[in-house]
């Protein structure tokens, strides 16, 4: 008998597919049929028949099930929409918070997608690299990376390494161009090799990419620049004058560059031009590392192996830089995101992305918690529906499916509205993050799928808890009316949800305050030099760097003083690795910043000399110079008495007090100052604070008298200082915005919840009133409970906020600490908002005439 | 009256013809024999489910008999409305097929 049985696995599988009350008969029937078949056809054929039978049955059952669930879906949809219509208020609250959450994440998603997809449009994108240089420098926290190569490296690499298909140097060109007597300041004039246009996919309107850049002094111009310079005339063959004397002829027009590229190009000229301008040797030396180099490698080149060949290669060719310099390849698509950083570990772009993602996630979480909270709170209303469904035969799983389905519908609706909202706010967001995100990117398959996935996940996450909670009701108890909704567990979990929401909000608020504390600290901090009413003018034209210009300016009474220099307290001139008397091997790689100033400079900027004196001798050349160090430099070297010590090829004559010449994010670095030799490149002017407009007008007029080739431009020192803290200020603004959204979502959630509780407790309130409670009494009763929640939330939030803020502040060399005031005010704000939200609602209920709610008929 | 599928119609007829002995094994065997093709158990089960839902057949649990391992079987019978349905189908069929032989012959001759 046993032998005649069908395979147990198949039978078990069949049982699983069938409804409980049918299982027995069907499987037994199949068993009988198996036995009959076995008699007629033999074992093998019967087994074949059996599995075919199971397979066909499975297919048929799946089909049937699908049809069934579509029918149920229609039913669920109907119920979901009815419920939404019935509870407009709660639905609206859920909907608004979900929309806010999804909108935030959508913006961040667009931003991330944008940032990660720079320079991906080049045909050979994955084989294009930029040469970067890892350079050992002290005082940097992580790796220090520069994108600098010597100009001769290109030719040598192309000749020696067959892995390289094409290579192109890239260097900034002239900053001033003249065209039809109009002068423009430009920063997108670049010198490149002719191969540049074949490595990168920047198409030309006309002209052959292989030849347009082959002759020196030819020029390729972008469409945008062409329109700016020539209107709608054909620019081909026209000429422009760069830096006052070099004439370039336009040979081709480039289509405007896509937004997502790291290149900022308006004009392209062949790099060979430089050997005409700067002399024959300029492009064939191994010392001047001021060129970027892009290479296109053959596919499947082993980068590690290639990089290992490079140290030997540069040594052989007589590379004169630091012998520890190590060249590497950087993918072109990483150039935007990683770029060139002094501290690559401290990469702000990636940090910002992470921060935005974290905040978007938190906001979304608050929105989900809101949904859970309101839905479970309203469970009493739906418990009857659940019970009836259960009595009629719905299984728990079906109910869970139904409730999760409802939240998914809501979140998908929220997604649709979010798309509209994003469309509206995108221009402002773009302005804020300084990018050009396109709304169309939303419909890019990857993003769209992520979005759908995101909102469905939000639906599932926020629907799951209510679904399990609601579907757990016992129908007999609910329908009999003996079920108590204030079951302890339900209340506790709801409070927990509220507390979590507030913890997140309070953390965000405290962090925001922390950021503002630091911003205030930075802007109020004494930079160590005077900064009021000082403006600086960059002098590109040699004619302007003369005492005559300054004298002419000084004739105007509102111009109080002036000083020439290379570098200002806000922006140093350069950096190098100097040597000094008694320097140890270990100290050889200490980075010093430097600048060249006139003696008036110290008085002008109020920078005190703490030891020694100002320069006494003219700067005549690299030998026998006089140097002034800052205090940090002296400390770094470790001299007790620095005056008269040998430093570079000169002596120390003085020490100035430390001043903050860059963002206080960075520690003050060692600095040497030497006397200006020849013409200064920057003129600082101190002006009277009254009637600034006409003073500026006067400066401009004087400028025009002295220089015809250059446009006038200036900037104020305090504005320059402010712009150093632009990142922080933006961070502050965005955090304010985010914490605002968080607290709003949390509060409308709380608002909804209290309105519900108030509704539930109408009778209690009425009885209390009848027994003599006053409206304030009742308000106190409700708000007391809420205050306790918020208080708990504050206790949890403060340490974590403190931790996060401390971590953030740690990246600043000069930092404040989270002030008690910030913490207390954040807590108070949260309390106040919560209590007001609660009272607003309870007040309405409490003021009602108790008779209305207590009377039965 | 609802339209029913050809398969359901056949199942009804088989159940009717099996009289007291209509349970899943006999129905399947006979159906496959008449139609000369394999009808999977799932297909048959769904058809029986539909017919039960629409009230054309009803089920009765038989008593356990000593034969065949002593299992109880679920027997299917036609309800009056099931019989009415079959009658209705047959009436329609007769209407449609009236004079078929004649007409078919003529159609062939005219070619």
């Amino acid at each position: 008998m046993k032998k005649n049985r069908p395979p147990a696995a198949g039978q078990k599988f069949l049982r699983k597919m069938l409804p409980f009350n049918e299982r027995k008969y069907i499987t037994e029937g199949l068993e009988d049929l198996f036995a009959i078949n076995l008699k007629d056809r033999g074992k093998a054929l019967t087994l074949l028949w059996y599995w075919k039978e199971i397979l066909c049955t499975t297919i048929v059952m799946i089909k049937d099930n699908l049809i069934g669930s579509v029918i149920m879906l229609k039913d669920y949809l109907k119920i979901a929409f009815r419920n939404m219509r019935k509870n407009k208020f709660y639905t609206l609250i859920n909907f608004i918070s979900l929309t806010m959450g999804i909108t935030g994440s959508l913006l961040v998603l667009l931003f991330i997608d944008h940032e990660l997809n720079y320079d991906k449009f080049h045909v050979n994108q994955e084989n294009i690299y930029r040469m970067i240089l890892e350079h050992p420098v002290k005082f940097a926290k992580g790796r220090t990376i520069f994108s600098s190569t010597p100009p001769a490296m290109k030719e040598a690499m192309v000749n020696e390494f067959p892995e390289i298909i094409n290579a192109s140097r890239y260097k900034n060109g002239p900053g001033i161009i003249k065209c039809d007597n109009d002068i423009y300041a430009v920063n997108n004039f670049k010198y490149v090799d002719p191969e540049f246009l074949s490595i990168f996919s920047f198409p030309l309107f006309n002209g052959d990419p292989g030849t347009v850049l082959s002759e020196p002094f030819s020029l390729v111009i972008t469409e945008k620049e062409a329109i700016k310079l020539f209107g709608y005339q054909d620019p081909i063959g026209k000429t422009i004058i760069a830096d006052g004397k070099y004439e370039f002829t336009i040979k081709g027009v480039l289509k405007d560059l896509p937004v997502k590229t790291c290149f900022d190009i308006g004009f392209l000229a062949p790099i060979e031009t430089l050997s005409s301008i700067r002399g024959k040797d300029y492009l064939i030396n191994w010392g001047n590392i001021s060129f970027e180099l892009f290479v296109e490698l053959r596919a499947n080149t082993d980068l590690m192996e290639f990089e290992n060949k490079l140290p030997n290669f540069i040594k052989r060719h007589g590379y004169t830089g630091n012998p520890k310099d190590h060249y590497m390849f950087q993918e072109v698509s990483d150039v935007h995101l990683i770029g060139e950083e002094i501290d690559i570990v401290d990469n702000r772009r990636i940090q910002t992305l992470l921060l935005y993602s974290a905040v978007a996630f938190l906001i979304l979480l608050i929105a989900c918690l809101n949904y859970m909270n309101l839905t479970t709170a309203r469970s009493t209303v739906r418990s009857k529906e659940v019970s009836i469904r259960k009595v009629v035969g719905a299984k728990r799983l079906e109910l869970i499916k139904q409730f999760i389905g409802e939240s998914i519908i809501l979140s998908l609706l929220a997604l649709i509205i979010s798309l509209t909202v994003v469309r509206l706010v995108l221009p402002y967001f773009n302005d804020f993050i300084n990018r050009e995100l396109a709304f169309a990117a939303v419909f890019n398959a990857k993003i769209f799928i992520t979005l759908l996935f995101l909102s469905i996940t939000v639906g599932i996450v926020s629907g799951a808890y209510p679904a399990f909670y609601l579907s757990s009701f016992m129908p007999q108890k609910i329908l009999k009316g003996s079920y108590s909704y204030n079951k302890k567990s339900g209340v506790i979990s709801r409070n927990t949800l509220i507390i979590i929401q507030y913890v997140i909000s309070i953390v965000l608020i405290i962090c925001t305050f922390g950021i503002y504390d630091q911003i205030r600290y930075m802007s109020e901090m004494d930079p160590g030099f005077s900064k009021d009413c000082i403006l600086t003018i960059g002098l590109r034209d040699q004619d302007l760097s003369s005492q005559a210009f300054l004298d002419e300016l000084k004739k105007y009474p509102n111009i109080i003083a002036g000083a020439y220099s290379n570098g200002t307290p806000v922006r140093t001139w350069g950096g190098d690795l100097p040597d000094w008397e008694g320097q140890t091997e270990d100290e050889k790689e200490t980075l010093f910043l430097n600048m060249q100033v006139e003696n008036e400079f110290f008085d002008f900027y109020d920078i005190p000399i703490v030891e020694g004196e100002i320069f006494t001798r003219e700067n005549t050349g690299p030998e026998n110079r006089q140097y002034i160090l800052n205090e940090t430099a002296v400390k770094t070297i470790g001299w007790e008495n620095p005056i008269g010590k040998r430093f570079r090829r000169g002596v120390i004559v003085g020490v100035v007090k430390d001043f903050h010449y860059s963002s206080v994010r960075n520690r003050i670095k060692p600095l040497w100052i030497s006397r200006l030799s020849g013409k200064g490149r920057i003129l600082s002017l101190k002006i009277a604070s009254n009637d600034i407009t006409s003073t500026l007008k006067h400066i401009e007029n004087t400028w025009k008298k002295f220089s015809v080739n250059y446009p006038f431009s200036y900037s104020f020192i305090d504005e320059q200082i402010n712009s150093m803290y632009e990142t922080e200020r933006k961070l502050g603004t965005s955090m304010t915005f985010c914490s605002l959204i968080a607290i709003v979502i949390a509060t409308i959630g709380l608002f909804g919840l209290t309105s519900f509780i108030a509704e539930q407790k109408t009778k209690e309130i009425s009885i209390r009133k009848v027994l003599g409670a006053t409206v304030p009494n009742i308000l106190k009763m409700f708000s007391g409970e809420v205050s306790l929640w918020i208080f708990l939330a504050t206790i949890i939030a403060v340490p974590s906020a403190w931790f996060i803020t401390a971590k953030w502040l740690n990246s600043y060399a000069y930092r404040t600490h989270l002030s008690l005031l910030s913490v207390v005010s954040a807590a108070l704000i949260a309390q106040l908002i919560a209590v007001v939200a609660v009272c607003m609602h309870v007040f309405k209920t409490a003021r009602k005439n108790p008779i209305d709610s207590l009377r039965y008929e | 009256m609802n339209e029913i599928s050809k398969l359901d119609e056949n199942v009804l007829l088989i159940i009717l013809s099996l009289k007291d002995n209509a349970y899943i094994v006999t129905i399947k065997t006979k159906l496959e024999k008449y139609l000369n093709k394999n009808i999977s158990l799932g297909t048959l089960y769904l058809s029986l489910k539909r017919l039960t839902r629409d009230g054309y057949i009803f089920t009765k649990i038989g008593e356990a008999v000593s034969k065949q391992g002593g299992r109880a079987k679920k027997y299917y019978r036609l309800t009056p409305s099931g019989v009415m349905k079959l009658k209705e189908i047959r009436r329609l069929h007769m209407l449609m097929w009236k004079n078929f032989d004649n007409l078919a012959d003529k159609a062939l001759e005219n070619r």
Side-chain angles (χ1 to χ4, degrees):
Chain A
M1 195 74 196
K2 192 117 201 178
K3 260 190 179 168
N4 299 343
R5 290 254 169 124
Q11 290 298 90
K12 213 170 164 185
F13 184 68
L14 188 65
R15 285 174 73 86
K16 281 265 149 64
M17 270 192 302
L18 295 163
F20 182 73
N21 53 352
E22 292 282 352
R23 271 177 197 167
K24 182 165 174 278
Y25 306 106
I26 307 274
T27 43
E28 282 172 5
L30 192 63
E31 227 170 88
D32 292 350
L33 282 168
F34 188 82
I36 295 165
N37 262 295
L38 206 59
K39 243 182 260 163
D40 293 351
R41 305 201 228 179
K43 182 115 187 173
L45 275 176
T46 311
L47 272 178
L48 203 68
W49 164 85
Y50 177 81
W51 286 114
K52 196 178 142 204
E53 192 74 14
I54 295 281
L55 185 73
C56 291
T57 305
T58 316
I59 293 170
V60 172
M61 294 303 286
I62 288 174
K63 256 193 219 158
D64 184 64
N65 240 316
L66 278 181
I67 295 166
S69 49
V70 168
I71 293 168
M72 276 318 268
L73 192 70
K74 214 176 102 194
D75 180 59
Y76 291 152
L77 270 174
K78 202 192 284 170
I79 295 289
F81 281 115
R82 269 186 207 159
N83 259 314
M84 286 182 200
R85 222 179 315 150
K86 217 159 58 188
N87 302 299
K88 285 192 193 84
F89 176 64
Y90 299 104
T91 310
L92 197 70
I93 288 180
N94 274 334
F95 191 67
I96 291 173
S97 52
L98 281 179
T99 309
M100 279 179 161
I102 292 179
T103 306
S105 337
L106 183 51
L107 286 174
V108 171
L109 196 67
L110 281 177
F111 184 39
I112 292 176
D113 177 73
H114 181 88
E115 290 294 287
L116 294 184
N117 281 307
Y118 265 63
D119 285 300
K120 288 268 165 88
F121 57 87
H122 303 295
V123 179
N124 300 316
Q125 171 261 122
E126 69 270 29
N127 295 326
I128 304 176
Y129 297 88
R130 180 168 78 163
M131 299 298 304
I132 47 170
L133 168 65
E134 192 171 353
H135 193 58
V137 170
K138 277 195 177 168
F139 291 104
K141 261 181 283 174
R143 294 156 68 203
T144 309
I145 280 175
F146 301 102
S147 57
S148 358
T149 59
M153 188 157 158
K154 180 225 162 189
E155 200 66 38
M157 279 185 81
V158 174
N159 288 341
E160 256 177 65
F161 299 113
E163 292 96 323
I164 295 181
I165 301 176
N166 265 325
S168 170
R169 288 162 287 189
Y170 182 80
K171 185 173 170 60
N172 277 341
I176 300 289
I177 58 166
K178 194 172 153 190
C179 166
D180 297 341
N181 290 324
D182 290 321
I183 297 170
Y184 304 90
V186 293
N187 54 8
N188 51 7
F189 194 121
K190 312 285 166 175
Y191 287 121
V192 294
D193 280 299
E195 292 93 326
F196 187 81
L197 290 175
S198 34
I199 297 176
F200 296 102
S201 309
F202 295 129
L204 283 168
F205 267 113
N206 42 18
D208 173 14
T211 57
V212 279
L213 289 174
S214 53
E215 283 165 53
F217 295 106
S218 52
L219 187 69
V220 170
I221 183 173
T222 59
E223 194 186 354
K224 208 194 289 167
E225 296 294 338
I227 292 171
K228 197 171 101 192
L229 298 184
F230 306 107
Y232 288 92
Q233 301 167 25
D234 184 10
I236 303 284
K238 290 215 161 50
T239 55
I240 62 163
I241 313 281
D243 271 353
K245 39 191 163 197
Y246 306 113
E247 195 180 90
F248 288 85
T249 312
I250 295 170
K251 294 276 177 66
V253 179
L254 205 60
K255 279 198 178 139
D256 282 336
L257 268 50
V259 177
K260 286 190 246 178
T261 178
C262 61
F263 295 103
D264 180 17
I265 292 172
F267 306 87
L268 282 181
I271 205 154
E272 277 308 318
T273 315
L274 282 172
S275 36
S276 313
I277 296 177
R278 301 279 187 96
K280 275 210 161 52
D281 294 342
Y282 190 71
L283 289 180
I284 47 172
N285 81 65
W286 280 86
N288 172 14
I289 52 166
S290 64
F291 292 76
E292 285 186 56
L293 181 60
F294 290 90
V295 295
E296 183 185 346
L297 302 182
R298 284 189 203 291
N300 309 322
T301 304
D302 186 348
L303 285 182
M304 287 296 279
E305 201 188 304
F306 199 166
E307 279 171 10
N308 287 337
K309 288 185 214 161
L310 290 174
N312 219 332
F313 163 75
I314 55 171
K315 211 162 131 197
R316 203 168 58 236
H317 282 275
Y319 176 75
T320 52
N322 191 317
K324 285 188 193 164
D325 283 355
H326 180 53
Y327 276 101
M328 291 178 302
F329 295 100
Q330 179 181 42
E331 279 175 47
V332 71
S333 48
D334 282 348
V335 171
H336 169 73
L337 205 59
I338 296 170
E340 185 182 28
E341 299 265 336
I342 299 295
D343 288 328
I344 204 153
V345 186
D346 202 27
N347 193 310
R348 302 257 151 194
R349 283 207 179 108
I350 290 176
Q351 271 184 354
T352 316
L353 281 189
L354 283 177
L355 185 91
Y356 280 140
S357 329
V359 172
F361 171 77
L362 285 180
I363 291 179
L364 207 54
L365 184 67
I366 295 187
C368 289
L369 292 178
N370 241 356
Y371 186 92
M372 289 181 205
N373 225 343
L374 284 178
T375 316
T376 45
R378 265 167 46 232
S379 55
T380 37
V381 181
R382 297 200 70 176
S383 58
K384 289 227 167 85
E385 180 196 331
V386 173
S387 308
I388 294 289
R389 274 181 192 276
K390 276 197 165 183
V391 168
V392 169
K395 272 172 284 170
R396 190 164 176 198
L397 192 69
E398 276 165 19
L399 286 167
I400 290 174
K401 264 196 266 175
Q402 184 199 341
F403 287 119
I404 291 186
E406 265 175 41
S407 59
I408 290 179
I409 290 170
L410 200 66
S411 71
L412 285 178
L413 281 178
L415 173 66
I416 294 171
I417 300 297
S418 296
L419 285 174
T420 325
V421 176
V422 167
R423 180 99 185 81
L424 293 175
V425 302
L426 201 60
Y428 304 100
F429 186 66
N430 273 341
D431 233 30
F432 181 71
I433 59 169
N434 228 338
R435 294 279 187 283
E436 289 174 48
L437 310 187
F439 181 69
V442 170
F443 300 108
N444 156 340
K446 214 165 54 188
I447 295 200
F448 199 71
I449 288 167
T450 319
L451 272 181
L452 274 182
F453 179 76
L454 182 85
S455 43
I456 288 173
T457 316
V458 166
I460 292 173
V461 168
S462 52
Y465 175 67
F468 280 96
Y469 179 68
L470 284 171
S471 61
S472 69
F473 290 150
M474 298 288 185
Q476 59 272 54
K477 278 190 189 160
I478 286 173
L479 294 177
K480 255 202 252 159
S482 65
Y483 190 79
S484 152
Y485 297 106
N486 282 340
K487 220 172 63 177
K488 212 68 189 165
S489 70
V491 174
I492 283 175
S493 56
R494 217 170 299 144
N495 295 354
T496 321
L497 292 180
I498 286 272
I499 290 172
I500 294 174
Q501 285 183 315
Y502 269 86
V503 168
I504 297 175
S505 312
I506 294 172
V507 166
L508 286 177
I509 296 177
I510 294 180
C511 289
T512 311
F513 282 152
I515 291 170
Y516 278 110
D517 277 348
Q518 175 69 8
I519 293 175
R520 197 177 323 111
Y521 173 80
M522 290 191 296
S523 52
E524 282 174 5
M525 186 170 164
D526 178 20
F529 57 89
S530 77
K531 56 180 182 180
D532 297 326
C533 289
I534 291 178
L535 59 90
T536 61
I537 310 174
L539 311 169
R540 289 192 235 240
D541 196 335
Q542 302 276 310
D543 299 341
L544 289 166
S545 318
S546 64
Q547 199 59 37
F549 177 53
L550 184 56
D551 289 343
E552 181 73 23
L553 283 173
K554 274 192 183 157
K555 281 183 191 155
Y556 195 72
N558 271 352
I559 293 173
I560 299 164
Y564 281 105
S565 59
N566 284 346
T568 64
V570 180
R571 204 147 292 143
T572 46
W573 193 244
D576 70 346
L577 313 171
D579 48 49
W580 59 78
E581 192 178 324
Q583 187 180 37
T584 62
E585 195 57 35
D586 203 31
E587 288 169 334
K588 276 235 160 76
E589 274 138 20
T590 313
L591 179 72
F592 271 63
L593 298 174
N594 60 46
M595 53 187 179
Q596 289 88 47
V597 306
E598 269 307 329
N599 266 337
E600 303 93 83
F601 183 87
F602 300 105
D603 270 348
F604 184 92
Y605 278 110
D606 253 335
I607 299 170
I609 306 275
V610 289
E611 225 175 305
E613 52 186 353
I614 53 175
F615 306 114
T616 50
R617 218 169 39 222
E618 284 299 321
N619 184 356
T620 46
E623 307 296 326
N624 269 332
R625 265 201 236 181
Q626 292 181 320
Y627 291 101
I628 293 178
L629 299 184
N630 70 353
E631 289 170 319
T632 307
V634 175
K635 236 176 279 162
T636 309
I637 297 174
W639 280 329
E640 285 202 355
N641 185 14
I643 307 298
K645 289 270 188 350
R646 190 184 60 77
F647 183 81
R648 299 182 87 223
R649 277 173 279 175
V651 288
I652 306 293
V653 290
V655 177
V656 286
K657 205 168 159 38
D658 276 342
F659 55 90
H660 291 275
Y661 45 75
S662 75
S663 164
V664 299
R665 190 190 300 143
N666 307 319
R667 188 157 288 287
I668 294 178
K669 291 195 178 84
L671 169 82
W672 58 257
I673 305 170
S674 67
R675 191 157 195 185
L676 194 61
S677 63
K679 312 271 165 94
R681 304 294 285 273
I682 295 169
L683 175 63
S684 308
L685 289 175
K686 196 173 281 177
I687 60 173
S689 55
N690 59 326
D691 205 6
I692 290 172
T693 328
S694 49
T695 312
L696 288 174
K697 195 78 212 154
H698 170 75
I699 299 173
E700 189 172 356
N701 289 336
T702 319
W703 172 289
K704 281 188 179 148
K705 258 187 257 173
F706 279 78
S707 169
V708 282
N709 283 334
Y710 294 86
F712 172 64
S713 69
Y714 68 93
S715 65
F716 282 94
I717 284 276
D718 49 358
E719 278 170 11
Q720 291 172 35
I721 294 174
N722 278 340
S723 71
M724 286 194 296
Y725 304 126
E726 187 66 18
T727 333
E728 284 77 14
R729 214 163 291 115
K730 280 205 167 150
L731 188 69
T733 319
S734 53
M735 282 298 286
T736 313
F737 202 65
C738 291
S739 41
L740 210 67
I741 291 181
I743 192 94
V744 165
I745 297 179
T747 307
I748 53 178
L750 184 68
F751 188 72
L753 192 68
T754 25
S755 81
F756 179 77
I757 295 173
E759 219 170 84
Q760 289 272 297
K761 293 198 175 170
T762 312
K763 273 193 185 146
E764 185 190 327
I765 293 172
S766 307
I767 290 171
R768 278 175 192 274
K769 274 189 87 175
V770 167
L771 293 178
T774 56
V775 174
N777 278 347
I778 290 162
L779 286 183
K780 218 163 94 191
M781 188 184 92
F782 274 90
S783 52
E785 198 181 350
V786 173
S787 299
L788 189 72
W789 298 346
I790 309 296
F791 183 66
L792 262 171
T794 314
I795 288 176
I796 301 169
V798 169
S800 35
W802 183 83
F803 178 76
I804 296 168
T805 319
K807 192 119 191 153
W808 179 74
L809 285 173
N810 243 334
S811 65
Y812 289 83
Y814 305 91
R815 54 183 176 260
T816 174
H817 50 88
L818 189 59
S819 65
L820 190 66
L821 184 74
S822 303
V823 176
V824 172
S825 45
L828 280 182
I829 287 175
Q831 275 284 1
L832 198 73
I833 292 177
V835 169
V836 167
V838 170
C839 288
M840 256 166 66
H841 225 102
V842 177
F843 188 63
K844 229 167 52 190
T845 322
R847 266 198 18 189
K848 272 191 205 147
N849 192 342
I851 289 186
D852 291 338
S853 52
L854 289 179
R855 201 166 54 182
Y856 263 99
E857 60 276 14
Chain B
M1 276 282 218
N2 288 338
E3 279 292 317
I4 62 172
S5 72
K6 199 78 191 166
L7 177 74
D8 290 3
E9 182 190 322
N10 289 334
V11 172
L12 275 183
L13 285 166
I14 299 281
I15 293 173
L16 190 69
S17 71
L18 282 167
K19 290 179 198 154
D20 283 348
N21 196 27
Y23 68 103
I24 192 123
V25 176
T26 50
I27 298 170
K28 185 167 151 60
T29 324
K30 197 159 182 180
L31 197 61
E32 281 177 351
K33 203 174 104 198
Y34 280 12
L35 296 181
N36 201 16
K37 68 174 184 190
N38 192 12
I39 303 289
S40 86
L41 210 59
T43 317
L44 181 60
Y45 158 69
L46 289 175
S47 164
L48 288 170
K49 197 172 117 183
R50 270 195 302 275
L51 291 168
T52 316
R53 186 195 65 202
D54 293 351
Y56 297 131
I57 53 176
F58 67 100
T59 55
K60 199 180 146 207
I61 309 295
E63 283 168 26
V65 278
S66 54
K67 220 175 114 193
Q68 287 208 353
R71 295 175 189 133
K73 293 192 201 77
K74 194 182 215 174
Y75 289 100
Y76 296 87
R77 293 272 194 87
L78 261 63
T79 58
S81 86
V83 181
M84 289 301 287
K85 183 74 192 176
L86 282 177
K87 279 192 174 170
E88 160 87 13
I89 292 169
R90 189 179 136 85
R91 195 181 62 78
L92 260 169
H93 265 234
M94 296 299 277
L95 213 62
M96 298 274 191
W97 290 84
K98 206 163 93 183
N99 261 341
F100 172 75
D101 288 342
N102 240 337
L103 292 168
D105 287 347
K106 258 184 203 160
L108 284 174
E109 271 165 30
N110 282 351
R111 286 188 79 200

